[in-house]
Amino acid sequence: MSEKQRVSTRRGTLLAVALLAVALLAAGWSVASGEESEPVYSAFNGKASYKIYCMNCHGVSGKGDGYLADSLKVKPTDLTAMAAKNGGEFPFDRAMRSVDGREQVRGHGMREMPVWGDAFLWPEDNPERRAEVKQKIGDLIEYLRSIQEPPVAP
Ligand code: HEC
């Protein structure tokens, strides 16, 4: 190896170490400051969950015409009209709470035993699991946002 090559290799290593240090610092900073960066939600993943957990009641279209709807005492909400019923603004946070059980919804069952079991149960005491649940519900709600009539901006 020539002297020149050796120098440039050493520079490369130094650069890598420096970058790693910056990355670690950044990670440490966000953990230390307790910052939870807002996750990015996927309507695509949400749609998959919707089909499994919501469609039987709320229907393929989201309008509340699922095959179980007729046997329910309370008609499932038309989920495509959530924004329209809220002055044109999609009620993201309320929708999150309706699913994780923090907001009681007739038809969704008790908070301790929602109709979808513990798939989206909000674990007050387990931050790791909470992030997971938040992502799953967020994806779902992002999907609901995408089916609003008339459409709303993401
Ligand atoms: C067993 C049937 C059933 C299933 C399954 C179900 N829902 Fe519902 N949902 C209802 C009924 C009934 C209502 C209307 C309750 C009322 O009017 O109080 C409702 C209301 C809602 C509302 C409106 C709450 C509000 O803030 O006004 C949202 C949002 C909602 N459901 C989302 C979902 C999502 C997302 C899923 C899937 C994870 C789901 N639902 C699964 C029956 C169901």
Side-chain angles (χ1 to χ4, degrees), residues 69-133:
D70 286 342
S71 53
L72 295 172
K73 276 186 241 146
V74 193
K75 199 178 153 17
T77 309
D78 176 355
L79 298 178
T80 66
M82 292 170 71
K85 280 191 277 185
N86 191 47
E89 200 181 312
F90 185 73
F92 204 101
D93 293 338
R94 181 160 56 84
M96 290 283 285
R97 294 195 303 270
S98 303
V99 176
D100 69 29
R102 284 178 296 173
E103 187 141 326
Q104 191 66 52
V105 175
R106 290 177 299 164
H108 284 184
M110 304 304 292
R111 174 160 174 33
E112 294 74 23
M113 199 174 54
V115 291
W116 41 81
D118 61 6
F120 306 115
L121 207 58
W122 192 252
E124 299 290 356
D125 50 357
N126 182 342
E128 222 162 277
R129 168 98 178 108
R130 203 156 57 213
E132 211 176 288
V133 168

Short mmCIF file of all heavy atoms in Angstrom, two decimals, residues 69-133:
data_model
loop_
_atom_site.label_atom_id
_atom_site.label_comp_id
_atom_site.label_asym_id
_atom_site.label_seq_id
_atom_site.Cartn_x
_atom_site.Cartn_y
_atom_site.Cartn_z
N ALA A 69 -73.88 -6.00 10.36
CA ALA A 69 -74.54 -4.74 10.72
C ALA A 69 -76.00 -4.94 11.13
O ALA A 69 -76.46 -4.35 12.11
CB ALA A 69 -74.44 -3.75 9.56
N ASP A 70 -76.71 -5.79 10.40
CA ASP A 70 -78.13 -5.98 10.67
C ASP A 70 -78.39 -6.60 12.03
O ASP A 70 -79.44 -6.41 12.63
CB ASP A 70 -78.77 -6.86 9.58
CG ASP A 70 -78.94 -6.09 8.28
OD1 ASP A 70 -78.90 -4.84 8.35
OD2 ASP A 70 -79.09 -6.72 7.22
N SER A 71 -77.44 -7.38 12.53
CA SER A 71 -77.66 -8.03 13.81
C SER A 71 -77.19 -7.17 14.99
O SER A 71 -77.26 -7.59 16.13
CB SER A 71 -76.98 -9.40 13.83
OG SER A 71 -75.63 -9.28 13.48
N LEU A 72 -76.71 -5.96 14.69
CA LEU A 72 -76.27 -5.08 15.78
C LEU A 72 -77.40 -4.15 16.20
O LEU A 72 -78.22 -3.75 15.38
CB LEU A 72 -75.08 -4.23 15.31
CG LEU A 72 -73.79 -4.96 14.97
CD1 LEU A 72 -72.80 -3.99 14.35
CD2 LEU A 72 -73.20 -5.61 16.21
N LYS A 73 -77.41 -3.82 17.50
CA LYS A 73 -78.44 -2.91 17.99
C LYS A 73 -78.17 -1.50 17.52
O LYS A 73 -79.08 -0.72 17.22
CB LYS A 73 -78.48 -2.95 19.52
CG LYS A 73 -79.33 -4.12 20.03
CD LYS A 73 -79.49 -4.05 21.55
CE LYS A 73 -78.90 -5.29 22.19
NZ LYS A 73 -78.29 -5.13 23.47
N VAL A 74 -76.89 -1.14 17.46
CA VAL A 74 -76.51 0.19 17.00
C VAL A 74 -75.90 0.05 15.61
O VAL A 74 -75.04 -0.79 15.39
CB VAL A 74 -75.44 0.81 17.92
CG1 VAL A 74 -75.28 2.29 17.63
CG2 VAL A 74 -75.76 0.57 19.37
N LYS A 75 -76.34 0.85 14.68
CA LYS A 75 -75.82 0.76 13.32
C LYS A 75 -74.38 1.26 13.29
O LYS A 75 -74.08 2.31 13.86
CB LYS A 75 -76.69 1.61 12.39
CG LYS A 75 -76.53 1.21 10.93
CD LYS A 75 -77.43 2.04 10.04
CE LYS A 75 -76.92 2.19 8.62
NZ LYS A 75 -75.89 1.28 8.15
N PRO A 76 -73.47 0.53 12.65
CA PRO A 76 -72.08 0.99 12.59
C PRO A 76 -71.98 2.35 11.88
O PRO A 76 -72.68 2.59 10.91
CB PRO A 76 -71.37 -0.09 11.78
CG PRO A 76 -72.23 -1.29 11.89
CD PRO A 76 -73.64 -0.79 12.01
N THR A 77 -71.12 3.18 12.40
CA THR A 77 -70.92 4.51 11.84
C THR A 77 -70.44 4.43 10.39
O THR A 77 -69.66 3.54 10.05
CB THR A 77 -69.84 5.24 12.69
OG1 THR A 77 -70.21 5.15 14.05
CG2 THR A 77 -69.69 6.68 12.28
N ASP A 78 -70.91 5.35 9.57
CA ASP A 78 -70.39 5.48 8.20
C ASP A 78 -69.00 6.09 8.31
O ASP A 78 -68.85 7.28 8.56
CB ASP A 78 -71.32 6.38 7.39
CG ASP A 78 -70.78 6.63 5.98
OD1 ASP A 78 -69.64 6.19 5.68
OD2 ASP A 78 -71.49 7.27 5.19
N LEU A 79 -67.98 5.27 8.11
CA LEU A 79 -66.62 5.73 8.33
C LEU A 79 -66.09 6.61 7.19
O LEU A 79 -65.03 7.20 7.31
CB LEU A 79 -65.68 4.54 8.57
CG LEU A 79 -66.01 3.67 9.80
CD1 LEU A 79 -65.05 2.49 9.90
CD2 LEU A 79 -65.98 4.49 11.08
N THR A 80 -66.87 6.69 6.10
CA THR A 80 -66.42 7.56 5.00
C THR A 80 -66.90 9.00 5.22
O THR A 80 -66.56 9.89 4.46
CB THR A 80 -66.95 7.08 3.63
OG1 THR A 80 -68.38 7.22 3.60
CG2 THR A 80 -66.57 5.64 3.36
N ALA A 81 -67.72 9.18 6.26
CA ALA A 81 -68.29 10.51 6.50
C ALA A 81 -67.72 11.16 7.76
O ALA A 81 -68.26 12.14 8.26
CB ALA A 81 -69.80 10.41 6.61
N MET A 82 -66.61 10.61 8.26
CA MET A 82 -66.07 11.12 9.52
C MET A 82 -65.62 12.57 9.41
O MET A 82 -65.84 13.38 10.30
CB MET A 82 -64.92 10.24 10.00
CG MET A 82 -65.38 8.86 10.42
SD MET A 82 -64.00 7.73 10.70
CE MET A 82 -63.32 8.39 12.21
N ALA A 83 -64.98 12.89 8.29
CA ALA A 83 -64.51 14.27 8.11
C ALA A 83 -65.70 15.19 7.86
O ALA A 83 -65.81 16.26 8.48
CB ALA A 83 -63.52 14.34 6.94
N ALA A 84 -66.60 14.75 6.99
CA ALA A 84 -67.77 15.58 6.66
C ALA A 84 -68.55 15.92 7.92
O ALA A 84 -69.01 17.05 8.09
CB ALA A 84 -68.65 14.84 5.66
N LYS A 85 -68.67 14.94 8.84
CA LYS A 85 -69.43 15.17 10.06
C LYS A 85 -68.65 16.00 11.07
O LYS A 85 -69.16 16.36 12.12
CB LYS A 85 -69.82 13.83 10.71
CG LYS A 85 -71.04 13.20 10.05
CD LYS A 85 -71.57 12.03 10.87
CE LYS A 85 -70.80 10.76 10.57
NZ LYS A 85 -71.32 9.56 11.23
N ASN A 86 -67.40 16.25 10.76
CA ASN A 86 -66.54 17.00 11.70
C ASN A 86 -66.07 18.31 11.05
O ASN A 86 -64.91 18.71 11.18
CB ASN A 86 -65.34 16.12 12.10
CG ASN A 86 -64.55 16.69 13.26
OD1 ASN A 86 -65.12 17.10 14.26
ND2 ASN A 86 -63.23 16.72 13.11
N GLY A 87 -66.96 18.92 10.32
CA GLY A 87 -66.64 20.21 9.70
C GLY A 87 -65.58 20.12 8.63
O GLY A 87 -64.86 21.08 8.37
N GLY A 88 -65.46 18.94 8.01
CA GLY A 88 -64.51 18.79 6.90
C GLY A 88 -63.11 18.39 7.36
O GLY A 88 -62.23 18.17 6.54
N GLU A 89 -62.93 18.30 8.68
CA GLU A 89 -61.61 17.93 9.17
C GLU A 89 -61.64 16.51 9.72
O GLU A 89 -62.52 16.17 10.52
CB GLU A 89 -61.19 18.90 10.28
CG GLU A 89 -59.70 18.90 10.51
CD GLU A 89 -59.32 19.86 11.65
OE1 GLU A 89 -59.80 21.01 11.62
OE2 GLU A 89 -58.59 19.42 12.53
N PHE A 90 -60.70 15.70 9.29
CA PHE A 90 -60.70 14.30 9.73
C PHE A 90 -60.28 14.21 11.20
O PHE A 90 -59.20 14.67 11.56
CB PHE A 90 -59.77 13.49 8.84
CG PHE A 90 -59.81 12.02 9.15
CD1 PHE A 90 -60.92 11.26 8.80
CD2 PHE A 90 -58.76 11.42 9.82
CE1 PHE A 90 -60.97 9.92 9.11
CE2 PHE A 90 -58.81 10.06 10.13
CZ PHE A 90 -59.92 9.31 9.78
N PRO A 91 -61.12 13.61 12.04
CA PRO A 91 -60.82 13.57 13.50
C PRO A 91 -59.86 12.45 13.86
O PRO A 91 -60.26 11.47 14.48
CB PRO A 91 -62.21 13.36 14.12
CG PRO A 91 -62.97 12.58 13.09
CD PRO A 91 -62.42 12.98 11.74
N PHE A 92 -58.61 12.61 13.48
CA PHE A 92 -57.62 11.55 13.62
C PHE A 92 -57.49 11.04 15.06
O PHE A 92 -57.58 9.84 15.32
CB PHE A 92 -56.25 12.05 13.12
CG PHE A 92 -55.34 10.95 12.69
CD1 PHE A 92 -55.16 10.65 11.35
CD2 PHE A 92 -54.66 10.20 13.63
CE1 PHE A 92 -54.32 9.61 10.95
CE2 PHE A 92 -53.83 9.15 13.23
CZ PHE A 92 -53.66 8.87 11.90
N ASP A 93 -57.31 11.95 16.00
CA ASP A 93 -57.04 11.54 17.38
C ASP A 93 -58.24 10.85 18.00
O ASP A 93 -58.09 9.85 18.70
CB ASP A 93 -56.63 12.75 18.22
CG ASP A 93 -55.28 13.28 17.77
OD1 ASP A 93 -54.53 12.50 17.16
OD2 ASP A 93 -55.00 14.46 18.02
N ARG A 94 -59.43 11.36 17.73
CA ARG A 94 -60.61 10.73 18.29
C ARG A 94 -60.77 9.33 17.70
O ARG A 94 -61.11 8.38 18.40
CB ARG A 94 -61.87 11.57 18.00
CG ARG A 94 -63.13 10.93 18.60
CD ARG A 94 -64.27 11.93 18.77
NE ARG A 94 -64.62 12.60 17.52
CZ ARG A 94 -65.44 12.09 16.61
NH1 ARG A 94 -65.99 10.91 16.79
NH2 ARG A 94 -65.70 12.76 15.51
N ALA A 95 -60.49 9.20 16.41
CA ALA A 95 -60.60 7.89 15.77
C ALA A 95 -59.61 6.91 16.40
O ALA A 95 -59.94 5.74 16.65
CB ALA A 95 -60.35 8.01 14.27
N MET A 96 -58.40 7.38 16.68
CA MET A 96 -57.40 6.53 17.35
C MET A 96 -57.98 6.03 18.67
O MET A 96 -57.93 4.84 18.97
CB MET A 96 -56.12 7.33 17.68
CG MET A 96 -55.26 7.74 16.52
SD MET A 96 -54.24 6.42 15.82
CE MET A 96 -52.94 6.20 17.03
N ARG A 97 -58.56 6.94 19.44
CA ARG A 97 -59.07 6.56 20.76
C ARG A 97 -60.28 5.64 20.67
O ARG A 97 -60.50 4.81 21.53
CB ARG A 97 -59.41 7.82 21.58
CG ARG A 97 -58.18 8.66 21.93
CD ARG A 97 -58.50 9.65 23.02
NE ARG A 97 -59.60 10.54 22.66
CZ ARG A 97 -59.45 11.70 22.03
NH1 ARG A 97 -58.24 12.12 21.73
NH2 ARG A 97 -60.49 12.44 21.74
N SER A 98 -61.07 5.79 19.59
CA SER A 98 -62.24 4.90 19.41
C SER A 98 -61.79 3.47 19.21
O SER A 98 -62.50 2.54 19.56
CB SER A 98 -63.05 5.31 18.19
OG SER A 98 -63.47 6.63 18.28
N VAL A 99 -60.62 3.30 18.62
CA VAL A 99 -60.15 1.95 18.34
C VAL A 99 -59.35 1.38 19.51
O VAL A 99 -59.50 0.21 19.86
CB VAL A 99 -59.31 1.91 17.04
CG1 VAL A 99 -58.76 0.51 16.81
CG2 VAL A 99 -60.18 2.34 15.86
N ASP A 100 -58.52 2.21 20.15
CA ASP A 100 -57.70 1.63 21.23
C ASP A 100 -58.49 1.51 22.54
O ASP A 100 -57.99 0.98 23.51
CB ASP A 100 -56.39 2.40 21.41
CG ASP A 100 -56.58 3.81 21.98
OD1 ASP A 100 -57.54 4.04 22.73
OD2 ASP A 100 -55.74 4.67 21.68
N GLY A 101 -59.73 1.97 22.51
CA GLY A 101 -60.59 1.75 23.66
C GLY A 101 -60.61 2.88 24.67
O GLY A 101 -61.35 2.84 25.64
N ARG A 102 -59.78 3.91 24.45
CA ARG A 102 -59.79 5.01 25.42
C ARG A 102 -61.06 5.84 25.29
O ARG A 102 -61.46 6.53 26.19
CB ARG A 102 -58.55 5.89 25.26
CG ARG A 102 -57.31 5.22 25.84
CD ARG A 102 -56.08 6.04 25.65
NE ARG A 102 -55.76 6.18 24.23
CZ ARG A 102 -54.81 6.95 23.76
NH1 ARG A 102 -54.08 7.68 24.58
NH2 ARG A 102 -54.57 7.01 22.48
N GLU A 103 -61.67 5.76 24.09
CA GLU A 103 -62.98 6.40 23.92
C GLU A 103 -64.00 5.29 23.75
O GLU A 103 -63.90 4.47 22.84
CB GLU A 103 -62.96 7.31 22.68
CG GLU A 103 -64.23 8.12 22.54
CD GLU A 103 -63.89 9.54 22.05
OE1 GLU A 103 -62.83 10.06 22.43
OE2 GLU A 103 -64.69 10.09 21.32
N GLN A 104 -64.97 5.26 24.66
CA GLN A 104 -65.96 4.19 24.64
C GLN A 104 -66.85 4.32 23.41
O GLN A 104 -67.41 5.38 23.16
CB GLN A 104 -66.80 4.26 25.92
CG GLN A 104 -67.69 3.05 26.13
CD GLN A 104 -66.87 1.79 26.39
OE1 GLN A 104 -66.01 1.76 27.26
NE2 GLN A 104 -67.12 0.75 25.61
N VAL A 105 -66.95 3.27 22.63
CA VAL A 105 -67.82 3.27 21.46
C VAL A 105 -68.82 2.12 21.61
O VAL A 105 -68.41 0.98 21.75
CB VAL A 105 -67.01 3.08 20.16
CG1 VAL A 105 -67.93 2.96 18.96
CG2 VAL A 105 -66.00 4.20 19.98
N ARG A 106 -70.10 2.44 21.62
CA ARG A 106 -71.11 1.39 21.67
C ARG A 106 -70.88 0.51 20.45
O ARG A 106 -70.68 1.02 19.36
CB ARG A 106 -72.53 1.97 21.57
CG ARG A 106 -72.98 2.75 22.80
CD ARG A 106 -74.34 3.34 22.55
NE ARG A 106 -74.32 4.27 21.41
CZ ARG A 106 -75.40 4.70 20.76
NH1 ARG A 106 -76.58 4.25 21.10
NH2 ARG A 106 -75.29 5.57 19.78
N GLY A 107 -70.90 -0.76 20.60
CA GLY A 107 -70.71 -1.62 19.44
C GLY A 107 -69.29 -2.17 19.38
O GLY A 107 -69.03 -3.18 18.75
N HIS A 108 -68.35 -1.48 20.03
CA HIS A 108 -66.97 -1.97 20.02
C HIS A 108 -66.68 -2.83 21.25
O HIS A 108 -65.59 -3.34 21.40
CB HIS A 108 -65.97 -0.82 19.95
CG HIS A 108 -65.86 -0.23 18.60
ND1 HIS A 108 -64.96 0.76 18.27
CD2 HIS A 108 -66.53 -0.49 17.46
CE1 HIS A 108 -65.10 1.09 17.00
NE2 HIS A 108 -66.05 0.36 16.48
N GLY A 109 -67.67 -2.93 22.13
CA GLY A 109 -67.45 -3.74 23.33
C GLY A 109 -66.76 -2.94 24.42
O GLY A 109 -66.45 -1.77 24.25
N MET A 110 -66.49 -3.61 25.51
CA MET A 110 -65.87 -2.94 26.65
C MET A 110 -64.39 -2.73 26.39
O MET A 110 -63.78 -3.45 25.63
CB MET A 110 -66.03 -3.79 27.92
CG MET A 110 -67.47 -4.15 28.27
SD MET A 110 -68.47 -2.67 28.44
CE MET A 110 -67.74 -1.99 29.93
N ARG A 111 -63.86 -1.72 27.06
CA ARG A 111 -62.43 -1.44 26.93
C ARG A 111 -61.59 -2.67 27.28
O ARG A 111 -60.60 -2.96 26.64
CB ARG A 111 -62.07 -0.30 27.88
CG ARG A 111 -60.58 -0.02 27.94
CD ARG A 111 -60.35 1.36 28.47
NE ARG A 111 -58.96 1.73 28.71
CZ ARG A 111 -57.89 1.35 28.04
NH1 ARG A 111 -58.00 0.49 27.05
NH2 ARG A 111 -56.70 1.79 28.34
N GLU A 112 -62.03 -3.39 28.31
CA GLU A 112 -61.27 -4.57 28.75
C GLU A 112 -61.40 -5.72 27.77
O GLU A 112 -60.59 -6.63 27.76
CB GLU A 112 -61.73 -5.04 30.14
CG GLU A 112 -61.46 -4.06 31.27
CD GLU A 112 -62.40 -2.87 31.25
OE1 GLU A 112 -63.50 -2.99 30.66
OE2 GLU A 112 -62.03 -1.82 31.79
N MET A 113 -62.47 -5.69 26.97
CA MET A 113 -62.70 -6.79 26.06
C MET A 113 -63.34 -6.28 24.77
O MET A 113 -64.50 -6.52 24.50
CB MET A 113 -63.60 -7.84 26.72
CG MET A 113 -63.53 -9.19 26.05
SD MET A 113 -64.47 -10.45 26.94
CE MET A 113 -66.07 -9.74 27.08
N PRO A 114 -62.57 -5.56 23.97
CA PRO A 114 -63.14 -5.04 22.72
C PRO A 114 -63.41 -6.17 21.74
O PRO A 114 -62.90 -7.27 21.93
CB PRO A 114 -62.05 -4.11 22.19
CG PRO A 114 -60.79 -4.58 22.82
CD PRO A 114 -61.16 -5.25 24.11
N VAL A 115 -64.23 -5.90 20.73
CA VAL A 115 -64.61 -6.98 19.81
C VAL A 115 -63.41 -7.57 19.08
O VAL A 115 -63.47 -8.68 18.59
CB VAL A 115 -65.67 -6.50 18.78
CG1 VAL A 115 -67.00 -6.25 19.47
CG2 VAL A 115 -65.22 -5.28 18.03
N TRP A 116 -62.32 -6.83 18.99
CA TRP A 116 -61.14 -7.37 18.29
C TRP A 116 -60.11 -7.92 19.26
O TRP A 116 -58.92 -8.00 18.94
CB TRP A 116 -60.49 -6.30 17.39
CG TRP A 116 -60.44 -4.97 18.02
CD1 TRP A 116 -59.54 -4.52 18.93
CD2 TRP A 116 -61.36 -3.90 17.77
NE1 TRP A 116 -59.84 -3.25 19.28
CE2 TRP A 116 -60.95 -2.84 18.57
CE3 TRP A 116 -62.47 -3.74 16.95
CZ2 TRP A 116 -61.62 -1.62 18.59
CZ3 TRP A 116 -63.14 -2.54 16.96
CH2 TRP A 116 -62.72 -1.50 17.77
N GLY A 117 -60.57 -8.31 20.46
CA GLY A 117 -59.63 -8.87 21.42
C GLY A 117 -58.58 -7.85 21.80
O GLY A 117 -58.85 -6.66 21.79
N ASP A 118 -57.36 -8.30 22.08
CA ASP A 118 -56.37 -7.33 22.54
C ASP A 118 -55.47 -6.83 21.42
O ASP A 118 -54.43 -6.22 21.66
CB ASP A 118 -55.55 -7.90 23.70
CG ASP A 118 -54.80 -9.15 23.28
OD1 ASP A 118 -54.83 -9.49 22.07
OD2 ASP A 118 -54.18 -9.79 24.14
N ALA A 119 -55.89 -7.04 20.15
CA ALA A 119 -55.05 -6.65 19.02
C ALA A 119 -54.63 -5.19 19.08
O ALA A 119 -53.50 -4.84 18.75
CB ALA A 119 -55.78 -6.93 17.71
N PHE A 120 -55.53 -4.31 19.53
CA PHE A 120 -55.21 -2.88 19.55
C PHE A 120 -55.32 -2.30 20.95
O PHE A 120 -55.42 -1.09 21.12
CB PHE A 120 -56.17 -2.11 18.63
CG PHE A 120 -56.23 -2.64 17.23
CD1 PHE A 120 -57.39 -3.20 16.73
CD2 PHE A 120 -55.12 -2.59 16.41
CE1 PHE A 120 -57.45 -3.69 15.44
CE2 PHE A 120 -55.17 -3.08 15.11
CZ PHE A 120 -56.33 -3.64 14.63
N LEU A 121 -55.34 -3.15 21.95
CA LEU A 121 -55.52 -2.68 23.31
C LEU A 121 -54.37 -1.76 23.72
O LEU A 121 -53.22 -2.07 23.47
CB LEU A 121 -55.59 -3.89 24.25
CG LEU A 121 -56.37 -3.70 25.54
CD1 LEU A 121 -57.80 -3.29 25.24
CD2 LEU A 121 -56.34 -4.99 26.34
N TRP A 122 -54.71 -0.65 24.33
CA TRP A 122 -53.70 0.35 24.68
C TRP A 122 -53.01 -0.04 25.98
O TRP A 122 -53.63 -0.02 27.04
CB TRP A 122 -54.38 1.71 24.84
CG TRP A 122 -53.42 2.84 24.91
CD1 TRP A 122 -53.10 3.57 26.02
CD2 TRP A 122 -52.64 3.36 23.83
NE1 TRP A 122 -52.17 4.51 25.70
CE2 TRP A 122 -51.87 4.42 24.38
CE3 TRP A 122 -52.51 3.04 22.49
CZ2 TRP A 122 -50.99 5.16 23.60
CZ3 TRP A 122 -51.63 3.78 21.73
CH2 TRP A 122 -50.89 4.82 22.27
N PRO A 123 -51.74 -0.45 25.94
CA PRO A 123 -51.07 -0.87 27.16
C PRO A 123 -50.47 0.33 27.89
O PRO A 123 -49.42 0.82 27.49
CB PRO A 123 -49.98 -1.80 26.63
CG PRO A 123 -49.79 -1.42 25.19
CD PRO A 123 -50.87 -0.49 24.77
N GLU A 124 -51.14 0.79 28.94
CA GLU A 124 -50.69 1.98 29.66
C GLU A 124 -49.27 1.80 30.19
O GLU A 124 -48.49 2.74 30.25
CB GLU A 124 -51.62 2.26 30.85
CG GLU A 124 -53.07 2.53 30.48
CD GLU A 124 -53.27 3.87 29.78
OE1 GLU A 124 -52.29 4.63 29.65
OE2 GLU A 124 -54.41 4.13 29.36
N ASP A 125 -48.93 0.55 30.56
CA ASP A 125 -47.70 0.32 31.33
C ASP A 125 -46.56 -0.27 30.51
O ASP A 125 -45.59 -0.73 31.07
CB ASP A 125 -48.04 -0.60 32.50
CG ASP A 125 -48.81 -1.84 32.03
OD1 ASP A 125 -49.10 -1.92 30.81
OD2 ASP A 125 -49.09 -2.73 32.85
N ASN A 126 -46.70 -0.29 29.18
CA ASN A 126 -45.68 -0.95 28.39
C ASN A 126 -45.35 -0.12 27.14
O ASN A 126 -45.96 -0.29 26.09
CB ASN A 126 -46.17 -2.35 28.00
CG ASN A 126 -45.14 -3.13 27.22
OD1 ASN A 126 -44.19 -2.57 26.67
ND2 ASN A 126 -45.32 -4.44 27.14
N PRO A 127 -44.39 0.79 27.27
CA PRO A 127 -44.08 1.75 26.19
C PRO A 127 -43.75 1.08 24.87
O PRO A 127 -44.11 1.58 23.81
CB PRO A 127 -42.87 2.50 26.72
CG PRO A 127 -42.84 2.26 28.18
CD PRO A 127 -43.52 0.95 28.44
N GLU A 128 -43.04 -0.06 24.93
CA GLU A 128 -42.63 -0.72 23.70
C GLU A 128 -43.85 -1.22 22.93
O GLU A 128 -44.00 -0.99 21.74
CB GLU A 128 -41.74 -1.90 24.05
CG GLU A 128 -40.54 -2.03 23.14
CD GLU A 128 -39.52 -2.91 23.80
OE1 GLU A 128 -38.75 -2.40 24.64
OE2 GLU A 128 -39.54 -4.12 23.50
N ARG A 129 -44.70 -1.91 23.64
CA ARG A 129 -45.92 -2.46 23.04
C ARG A 129 -46.83 -1.31 22.60
O ARG A 129 -47.53 -1.41 21.60
CB ARG A 129 -46.60 -3.37 24.07
CG ARG A 129 -48.00 -3.78 23.73
CD ARG A 129 -48.08 -5.16 23.10
NE ARG A 129 -49.48 -5.50 22.84
CZ ARG A 129 -50.00 -5.55 21.62
NH1 ARG A 129 -49.25 -5.35 20.58
NH2 ARG A 129 -51.28 -5.82 21.46
N ARG A 130 -46.76 -0.21 23.35
CA ARG A 130 -47.60 0.94 23.03
C ARG A 130 -47.25 1.50 21.65
O ARG A 130 -48.11 1.85 20.86
CB ARG A 130 -47.45 2.02 24.11
CG ARG A 130 -48.63 2.94 24.18
CD ARG A 130 -48.73 3.57 25.54
NE ARG A 130 -47.52 4.29 25.91
CZ ARG A 130 -47.08 4.40 27.15
NH1 ARG A 130 -47.73 3.83 28.13
NH2 ARG A 130 -45.98 5.07 27.41
N ALA A 131 -45.95 1.58 21.37
CA ALA A 131 -45.50 2.10 20.07
C ALA A 131 -46.02 1.21 18.94
O ALA A 131 -46.44 1.68 17.89
CB ALA A 131 -43.98 2.17 20.05
N GLU A 132 -46.01 -0.09 19.22
CA GLU A 132 -46.47 -1.07 18.23
C GLU A 132 -47.97 -0.89 17.96
O GLU A 132 -48.42 -0.85 16.81
CB GLU A 132 -46.25 -2.44 18.85
CG GLU A 132 -45.94 -3.58 17.93
CD GLU A 132 -45.67 -4.82 18.77
OE1 GLU A 132 -44.59 -4.89 19.42
OE2 GLU A 132 -46.53 -5.69 18.82
N VAL A 133 -48.73 -0.79 19.04
CA VAL A 133 -50.18 -0.63 18.93
C VAL A 133 -50.51 0.70 18.23
O VAL A 133 -51.37 0.76 17.36
CB VAL A 133 -50.84 -0.67 20.33
CG1 VAL A 133 -52.29 -0.22 20.27
CG2 VAL A 133 -50.75 -2.07 20.91
#
